Amino acid sequence: MDSLSQPPSKRPLSSSATDFREVSLASPPAADDEGERSKMFFHIVLERNMQLHPRHFGPHLRDKLVSKLIKDVEGTCSGRHGFVVAITGVEDVGKGLIREGTGYVTFPVKYQCVVFRPFKGEILEAVVTMVNKMGFFAEAGPVQIFVSNHLIPDDMEFQSGDVPNYTTSDGSVKIQKESEVRLKIIGTRVDATEIFCIGTIKDDFLGVISDPGAAV
Amino acid sequence: MSLAEVPSPSPSSSSGSDDFAALLDSELELASGADSAFPDDEGEDDGSEVEVEVEALEQNGTKRRRVEEQHQDQGISVRPDKIVTGSSKNVQVKVCPHPGYFNGLCFRCGKPQDEEDVSGVAFGYIHKGLRLGTTEIDRLRTADLKNLLRERKLVLILDLDHTLINSTRIQDISPAEHELGIRTAATKDDQNRSIFALDSMHMLTKLRPFVREFLKEASNMFEMYIYTMGDKAYAIEIAKLLDPSNVYFPSKVISNSDCTQRHQKGLDVILGAENVAVILDDTEYVWQKHKENLILMERYHYFASSCRQFGFGVRSLSESMQDEREGDGALATVLDVLRRIHAIFFDTAVETDLCLRDVRPVIKVVRKEVLQGCKLVFSRVFPNTARPQEQMMWKMAEQLGAVCSTDVDSTVTHVVAVDMGTEKARWAVGNKKFLVHPRWIEAANYRWQRQPEEEFPLTPPKEKIRRKENAVAGQKGTTIKDKENVVAVVQKETSKDSEENAVPDQKETSEDKEENAFF
Ligand SMILES: [Zn+2]
């Protein structure tokens, strides 16, 4: 349903090309100093056909369309675009098409919105929701991330018990439920309602940001 | 960005017109005028740039992915650990074995799952969307085994219905139960109550006496799982009752949706090794592949509907306001058995490496202690034509450690008979040997304990009738024991029947029956 009206003028290569610099497909950029600088929020234009009941026709038609649009779209995942955080404006409302019999009118609405869409290679901060022997699960807003123990540094070992956790041998770093972690995304999938990511903390500057256990 | 920031056209400007085109025109005019009011810190062509981004995703997904992979291979934008090896010029990519998937993404390399690849086992009870390959399961089991044994723990798999609890649908509550106020009891605000209303499911659940102590004690020796043929929502509700602080069963509640084979429970969905797993269940049939790990439980029937469903005409425990005893009920008894198994398994005098030990022979050894030192002779218990060694009762006695014989001699300790008039029965009386009913063996089998022989006497025909009446009336004290025995025997027969008649049709019906009665 979403469509785009303007022809593509620039071709961003990957998510790490966050500021959409012009690059050609044939020659990917050389090692990118800013490769890990993340941009997961995008301001984009989407289009949607909206049906409106005739009772809304009148001076407040546009208001109705906008509030319905917000209700329908915000907080959902729009196909591959990502999670619609907020609608920032309505660019265009096309000609209404009356549907035979029902009296409903369908308006093509072009709107601007901010979407959240993590990409491979980006850094994300997330809160740990579950720790077990397979790894840990974490959440960042609408995104669910799994960091399997393949992608947890080898010096961190799983400890079972009342509060299962991964801890370094010297005990200095601990990941448990509610910990905040910085992780790098190595794979993503956007569903109709959810975004799933595979994350790793097996790299420099990744891992625990805050440790709920230490605060107590 | 909030709703307030979305500009709304002034309503009055276009009012008075019922012409659509005019209305929309005016709306759109206002809209375009308002465009500049949108916060837009990215400049004018931001929109189009982003559109390209989106389009590239939509139409060029494959191509895009390929480009990204190329990036990855050269270690430019992404630096996955270990997966990429080799020099920067001559790139060599080690193929990821894809050990498992999280919502369709390999959790080692992040790549999407091949649609044709449906191998592995779903572990939805650990996390939605989790799937593990067999190699990964083995790896996790091995790693887990070391941890477990270091903590001196084994794995315990617990069935719910008839093992730890008994449930009934509210609509199946009997008039007698109603009269006794069973529903009020289930909603009473009492910390020590053992009967609960599951409002959302229109059910009542009764915890088996001793279950809380049982779980507490067992959790010191075992990593525990719940494994039920009930559905997920039900299993989770019951787990909350049994484990309100979620310490016993975190991510360890397995329900019918997790089974890999219809109507069968399997250890394949458990990340614990088979050689350390002990199962407590009242149904043998569902554990076809793991009978050696199973300790069969005496069925707990509390509610009238549960008794009806299993074909007992007797008054239920609920209707006679009775219950299993805490101190020597089924769970207390089996806890002792588990302690014994645990002790033998971790016996420090044994030299075998812990990882190589197996709990299955240990279960056998402990079972063999039950009737150790007993030598049994059966008298007209089996049909004349049958070979006694192949009879279920004979085998059961041997598994319990008894020696079985066809002839009497001075070393015989028990004569098992149903009729006092047989020659061997009279011999037993004359030689001061125990004369017991076959139920004595069955009771020992369920309770893992040699039962007092005097509670299993042979009854002359007249007396038999009277005892039956007693059992139906269901009283307190010693007669309850009799009733339980009756229950045990009937139960046995029913379950045997259903196992033998394992033709698909009948299986279906028995399944249906179970589902209807909520186990
Ligand atoms: Zn992989």
Side-chain angles (χ1 to χ4, degrees), chain A residues 90-157:
Chain A
V90 173
E91 273 202 343
D92 183 44
V93 178
K95 281 208 161 66
L97 266 176
I98 302 172
R99 289 182 57 194
E100 298 275 334
T102 63
Y104 273 86
V105 176
T106 304
F107 295 94
V109 179
K110 208 181 281 178
Y111 59 96
Q112 300 165 328
C113 61
V114 173
V115 294
F116 177 72
R117 207 308 188 183
F119 283 95
K120 199 158 136 178
E122 288 175 329
I123 306 295
L124 193 64
E125 288 174 11
V127 178
V128 174
T129 54
M130 183 197 289
V131 178
N132 60 36
K133 51 193 158 199
M134 306 186 41
F136 66 85
F137 296 87
E139 274 177 17
V143 186
Q144 288 189 47
I145 309 115
F146 178 44
V147 178
S148 79
N149 58 16
H150 296 274
L151 303 176
I152 294 172
D154 294 332
D155 67 334
M156 294 195 85
E157 252 198 77

Side-chain angles (χ1 to χ4, degrees), chain A residues 5 25 30 43-44 81 105 108 111 121 138 157-159 186 204 212:
Chain A
S5 54
L25 274 173
H43 200 192
I44 63 170
H81 308 135
V105 176
Y111 59 96
E157 252 198 77
F158 177 65
Q159 320 278 332
I186 65 160
D204 295 342

Side-chain angles (χ1 to χ4, degrees), chain B residues 366-372 374 400-401 444-445 448-450:
Chain B
V366 175
R367 199 194 298 268
K368 269 192 182 302
E369 293 174 347
V370 174
L371 293 184
Q372 206 165 40
C374 297
L400 293 168
N445 187 51
W448 289 67
Q449 237 168 27
R450 180 167 160 182

Side-chain angles (χ1 to χ4, degrees), chain B residues 366-419:
Chain B
V366 175
R367 199 194 298 268
K368 269 192 182 302
E369 293 174 347
V370 174
L371 293 184
Q372 206 165 40
C374 297
K375 186 168 177 183
L376 314 185
V377 166
F378 292 88
S379 174
R380 296 209 200 148
V381 174
F382 313 127
N384 279 337
T385 49
R387 286 194 55 205
Q389 291 83 354
E390 281 162 13
Q391 297 303 302
M392 191 196 66
M393 202 64 71
W394 182 291
K395 284 192 204 159
M396 189 186 282
E398 283 187 336
Q399 283 165 7
L400 293 168
V403 175
C404 297
S405 163
T406 47
D407 303 304
V408 294
D409 63 52
S410 62
T411 61
V412 167
T413 56
H414 294 70
V415 173
V416 183
V418 285
D419 187 346

